Amino acid sequence: EADIYQTPRYLVIGTGKKITLECSQTMGHDKMYWYQQDPGMELHLIHYSYGVNSTEKGDLSSESTVSRIRTEHFPLTLESARPSHTSQYLCASSAKGAGVNYGYTFGSGTRLTVV
Amino acid sequence: QKEVEQNSGPLSVPEGAIASLNCTYSDRVSQSFFWYRQYSGKSPELIMSIYSNGDKEDGRFTAQLNKASQYVSLLIRDSQPSDSATYLCAVYSNSGYALNFGKGTSLLVTP
C-alpha cells in the first residue's frame, strides 16, 4: 500500500545530541517537505525538496539539515539538539503535476522532546 | 498580515447541523486551495481541494472559493461528533513551492 512513513514516532533525547528523523514514501512523489508544529499552533515549513539532489530551506530556521539522495527518502538531521527543538515534526509528500499543485499526504509525525 | 487566516474558534455546532468554516488569504494570485482535518495528536489529513471559483462537493463536504474576495470556505453538512477536529486551510503561494497553512479552526460537534 502506497504510504509515507516516519520514524521514530516519539523520541526523548538529551541536549547536544545529534539526531536524524526518518521519512520515506512509497508513492513515487517528487516533492517532499518537513514542517514543524507546536501544540495548537500552525505548521511552519522547515525544508522542502523538488526531487533527488534538490533541497531548500523553508521559512523557519531550525538549525537542521536534510538530504535527498533517493526519491523515496528525505531524512532530517539536527546536529545538536536543544530544548527549543522540542516539537512535532511532520513529513509530507506530493505529486508534481504540469501546471497543477497537488495537496500533501502527511506521515504520522515524530514527537521530539529534548531534555 | 498573515498569508492564511482562520478564526481559531472553537466553533460549536449541534449534531446534524451545518458547520461553516472560513479562511482568507493574502496572495491575490494563489491558484490552489486545500482543507485538511487534524484530530488531536494526529497528523493532518487532506479532505478537499479546490482550484476554480465556485463550489465543489464531496459527500457531506462542500468547498467554496471566491478568488475576487480571496476567500475560501468549507461546509460540513449533517455534522457528526466524529467531525470534531481542527480544520486547516492551506494555500499555495504564487511561487508554488509549498503550502502555507492557517492556524486552524477548532470544531466541536455536540451530540
Side-chain angles (χ1 to χ4, degrees), chain A residues 9 31 33 35 37 40-43 45 48 50 59 88 90 94 100-109 111, chain B residues 2-4 32 34 36 38 41-46 51 88 92-93 95-103:
Chain A
R9 286 294 310 276
K31 297 159 81 170
Y33 310 85
Y35 282 80
Q37 185 183 33
M41 302 299 289
E42 59 212 293
L43 283 79
L45 180 67
Y48 62 99
Y50 268 20
D59 303 322
Q88 164 130 299
L90 293 165
S94 69
V100 176
N101 285 315
Y102 294 105
Y104 297 170
T105 301
F106 280 92
S108 299
R111 187 164 297 280
Chain B
K2 283 188 171 293
E3 298 195 43
V4 182
S32 310
F34 305 87
Y36 286 81
Q38 187 174 27
K42 303 293 186 182
S43 58
E45 173 193 9
L46 179 65
Y51 300 93
L88 306 174
Y92 271 104
S93 63
S95 63
Y97 65 84
L99 283 171
N100 293 314
F101 287 84
K103 199 172 175 179

Side-chain angles (χ1 to χ4, degrees), chain B residues 42-110:
Chain B
K42 303 293 186 182
S43 58
E45 173 193 9
L46 179 65
I47 55 173
M48 288 290 287
S49 61
I50 188 165
Y51 300 93
S52 305
N53 277 330
D55 294 359
K56 178 182 177 183
E57 186 174 317
D58 183 0
R60 295 186 296 113
F61 299 102
T62 299
Q64 299 174 317
L65 175 62
N66 183 327
K67 291 184 180 179
S69 300
Q70 295 174 240
Y71 178 91
V72 58
S73 64
L74 179 70
L75 301 178
I76 306 174
R77 290 183 299 282
D78 188 24
S79 295
Q80 301 297 309
S82 59
D83 294 326
S84 298
T86 296
Y87 289 81
L88 306 174
C89 175
V91 179
Y92 271 104
S93 63
N94 184 40
S95 63
Y97 65 84
L99 283 171
N100 293 314
F101 287 84
K103 199 172 175 179
T105 298
S106 175
L107 173 66
L108 177 64
V109 181
T110 55

